[in-house]
Amino acid sequence: MIALVPREFHLFQAAGRDFLYLVPSAAVFGLDEPTAAVLRAVVETRCTDEALTAALADRFDVATVGAAIAELLQVRAIGYEQQPEEHTPRLLPMMPFPLTTMVLNVTNQCNLACTYCYEYGEDKIVDTENGKQSKFMTEATALESVDFLLKESGRVAHLTFFGGETLLNFPVLKSTIAYARRRAAEAGKEIDFSLTTNATLLRPEIIEFLAENRVGVTISIDGPREMQDKFRVFSGGAGSYDVVAPKIKELLRRHRTRPIGARVTLTSNTLDITRIYRHLTEDLGFWEVGFAPVTTSPNRQYAIGDQGFDRMLDQFRALASEFLEHVVSNRHHGFSNVKDTLEEIHKGVSKAYPCGAGLGLLGVSTDGDVALCHRFAGSDTHKFGTVRDGIDRQVQSAFLQQHHIADKTDCRVCWARPLCSGGCYHEAHVRYGTTTRPNLHYCEWIRGWTDTCLKIYGELSERNPDFLARFDRDEAKAEAVL
Ligand code: SF4
Ligand code: SF4
């Protein structure tokens, strides 16, 4: 007789019941009482169908246990001992892969000198001061980039402007948007625009332009004055809070055509997440706030260590609970990290690669070099071609061959891999000197956060399934224009 054994899943409780996160399929599966009892029994001791039926006979009849076993076998939560376990298939994307998002680095110059900046700080990979790349993208290069994007994209294209400080090159940004709109209409494609800025250069005519053109705006800001002014400083060392706060308020007042989000870089010195969230949403009025730990080598004083990750997780959990309570009563909550992860869980995202970089997303440097993503733009590391000559498919294909999740030994057996897939390439490059390594320094944090989001997902599936259904409607809307 062959024993039943557990396969790959993550078991969690939410809304008073058991749920399974099935790793190979990335599906969430609510368990009824008999199925949960069968699964627990298989986890505790390897036993045959018959032994299991006998062990549960005082609670469930033979047919009920048989149906539960069949169901768990079908979804591959359990299997028979001698059947080989399936490993992550090494399926490579079909080439050529359409480009959905192009991040245009319109300048690599900045009017701030943030201590932790990956472009100017101690961990930079591109020499933006003395290197060969131009400091500003010319209009000609920007327009060539638009032609490149529209040639490589499907029915919908996203154009994101980035820097340095993006608004230092506002004239080029402005003419690029006008050109892109016209060319997209001629090509029968949809295009939308977004940018990231430090907010120091916002002024009424720029705000008007952004609102009129429905440009999505993300503001890099670290929180209230004392947190913002720790690292986000001008070159003389003066803090930037008093410069940006009134400009942000003006932007939020006048730009109502798209929700405006804040993007916070967390460091070991600025980890008071609840306070940062309250300030940005309640005092300044941001619609959404997203947090990301600083990318840096571990020996920097501001790097987040193990204890910092624990603290960060505790605070993320507290804010995620608040998000849940708001959403259950159909109120908005702007903690975007949890919303983004819920959307991925709902859509059953299972990543062979950690992000879109090198797939549907590419970065373009000031000189028109095409790179893995915006953080590599201008570096010869992972250059994929140029906007004039197009993508070197061999280089792109080789990159995808070398970075597949199936080749990341620790990740292959990790239950959080459908959503993490080894983490950001740039972070790995800074930490370990290579993009091929998974970011094993933050696995505990990733698994803890994924577990929290799964629990929130389970709660919502019982208490406000309509909220989750919105992700389907958004997708249907997106597909309608594809
Ligand atoms: S980096 Fe860590 S958490 Fe992420 S998939 Fe790999 S092993 Fe899992
Ligand atoms: S590699 Fe990192 S920085 Fe680049 S797109 Fe992916 S997650 Fe973002």
Side-chain angles (χ1 to χ4, degrees):
M1 284 295 181
I2 306 169
L4 290 161
V5 288
R7 295 295 195 213
E8 274 195 306
F9 58 79
H10 177 66
L11 185 61
F12 62 98
Q13 280 82 41
R17 64 185 290 202
D18 290 307
F19 284 86
L20 275 187
Y21 180 54
L22 294 160
V23 179
S25 60
V28 177
F29 190 63
L31 300 179
D32 59 17
E33 225 188 302
T35 323
V38 166
L39 189 70
R40 284 188 195 288
V42 174
V43 170
E44 272 161 30
T45 44
R46 297 168 180 227
C47 50
T48 62
D49 293 35
E50 292 72 19
L52 192 54
T53 310
L56 296 174
D58 57 337
R59 293 174 61 196
F60 309 107
D61 61 36
V62 175
T64 306
V65 175
I69 292 173
E71 194 173 8
L72 289 168
L73 282 168
Q74 197 194 1
V75 299
R76 302 203 187 120
I78 59 175
Y80 287 106
E81 201 164 27
Q82 286 169 2
Q83 284 171 347
E85 195 158 353
E86 288 174 39
H87 288 293
T88 310
R90 205 173 183 289
L91 292 175
L92 295 169
M94 291 277 287
M95 302 282 277
F97 201 85
L99 182 57
T100 50
T101 303
M102 180 176 76
V103 188
L104 210 55
N105 280 26
V106 288
T107 178
N108 52 36
Q109 299 300 288
C110 193
N111 57 340
L112 289 185
C114 306
T115 322
Y116 53 56
C117 178
Y118 63 83
E119 204 153 341
Y120 282 94
E122 297 148 314
D123 298 311
K124 68 183 173 191
I125 57 170
V126 183
D127 188 348
T128 43
E129 281 138 305
N130 311 303
K132 60 181 173 58
Q133 289 283 328
S134 310
K135 295 189 188 315
F136 292 90
M137 182 177 276
T138 62
E139 186 180 276
T141 300
L143 303 192
E144 279 175 324
S145 304
V146 169
D147 291 338
F148 165 79
L149 168 64
L150 291 171
K151 179 165 166 270
E152 297 293 338
S153 72
R155 178 78 179 79
V156 178
H158 304 279
L159 176 53
T160 298
F161 297 91
F162 208 82
E165 170 40 42
T166 313
L167 294 178
L168 280 172
N169 205 356
F170 180 64
V172 163
L173 182 150
K174 206 172 155 183
S175 51
T176 306
I177 287 180
Y179 179 76
R181 267 198 205 299
R182 182 166 60 75
R183 294 285 293 117
E186 286 164 7
K189 296 190 177 189
E190 299 278 333
I191 189 159
D192 78 14
F193 307 98
S194 56
L195 63 81
T196 298
T197 173
N198 62 27
T200 53
L201 299 173
L202 286 171
R203 47 177 204 271
E205 62 271 29
I206 293 182
I207 294 173
E208 219 54 63
F209 174 85
L210 299 176
E212 259 172 37
N213 284 277
R214 299 195 75 253
V215 179
V217 180
T218 301
I219 305 283
S220 304
I221 180 168
D222 288 355
R225 184 181 290 103
E226 76 276 14
M227 296 193 199
Q228 169 83 353
D229 290 354
K230 265 200 179 100
F231 298 107
R232 302 194 67 82
V233 294
F234 290 94
S235 52
S240 56
Y241 183 87
D242 288 336
V243 174
V244 299
K247 291 172 187 279
I248 290 170
K249 284 185 181 163
E250 187 62 6
L251 174 80
L252 292 166
R253 194 176 66 77
R254 294 171 73 160
H255 187 342
R256 316 291 287 189
T257 52
R258 296 269 296 265
I260 312 276
R263 199 263 190 203
V264 177
T265 299
L266 294 169
T267 67
S268 57
N269 308 71
T270 48
L271 267 182
D272 194 345
I273 291 165
T274 311
R275 174 134 191 272
I276 296 171
Y277 179 80
R278 297 260 181 276
H279 179 73
L280 296 180
T281 52
E282 292 168 15
D283 300 340
L284 293 186
F286 279 105
W287 178 251
E288 281 194 332
V289 182
F291 298 86
V294 65
T295 296
T296 184
S297 61
N299 49 351
R300 306 273 177 246
Q301 174 270 330
Y302 47 80
I304 298 178
D306 288 347
Q307 282 182 346
F309 275 114
D310 289 348
R311 200 173 146 213
M312 198 169 112
L313 183 56
D314 286 346
Q315 293 190 56
F316 263 47
R317 282 184 171 141
L319 210 48
S321 299
E322 193 179 278
F323 174 95
L324 173 65
E325 292 319 313
H326 274 64
V327 169
V328 162
S329 52
N330 287 314
R331 286 176 294 145
H332 169 73
H333 192 281
F335 184 24
S336 62
N337 297 66
V338 69
K339 195 195 82 194
D340 294 347
T341 308
L342 289 176
E343 182 165 2
E344 291 191 325
I345 293 170
H346 186 73
K347 291 180 175 168
V349 166
S350 183
K351 301 174 186 170
Y353 301 95
C355 61
L359 285 160
L361 180 147
L362 291 169
V364 177
S365 75
T366 49
D367 280 348
D369 286 353
V370 175
L372 175 58
C373 80
H374 49 293
R375 290 202 182 189
F376 289 91
S379 141
D380 288 333
T381 318
H382 306 308
K383 175 177 163 180
F384 279 24
T386 70
V387 293
R388 285 146 219 127
D389 304 329
I391 301 167
D392 184 330
R393 297 291 176 193
Q394 277 185 342
V395 173
Q396 185 183 28
S397 173
F399 178 87
L400 295 172
Q401 293 269 1
Q402 286 161 9
H403 292 78
H404 196 278
I405 183 78
D407 295 333
K408 294 180 178 171
T409 315
D410 297 83
C411 304
R412 287 180 59 173
V413 292
C414 169
W415 69 261
R417 70 174 182 273
L419 295 172
C420 171
S421 200
C424 171
Y425 299 126
H426 180 252
E427 171 106 19
H429 179 90
V430 170
R431 276 268 169 167
Y432 310 112
T434 170
T435 47
T436 53
R437 287 270 302 269
N439 287 286
L440 299 179
H441 57 282
Y442 60 35
C443 297
E444 286 312 308
W445 141 252
I446 290 288
R447 285 192 277 258
W449 176 236
T450 308
D451 177 69
T452 300
C453 291
L454 284 168
K455 286 174 177 155
I456 303 269
Y457 186 84
E459 291 281 340
L460 285 176
S461 69
E462 299 281 315
R463 296 168 65 193
N464 190 354
D466 267 2
F467 175 83
L468 301 174
R470 265 182 237 164
F471 295 133
D472 298 325
R473 291 198 284 277
D474 290 350
E475 191 164 55
K477 238 190 286 164
E479 275 169 7
V481 288
L482 275 175

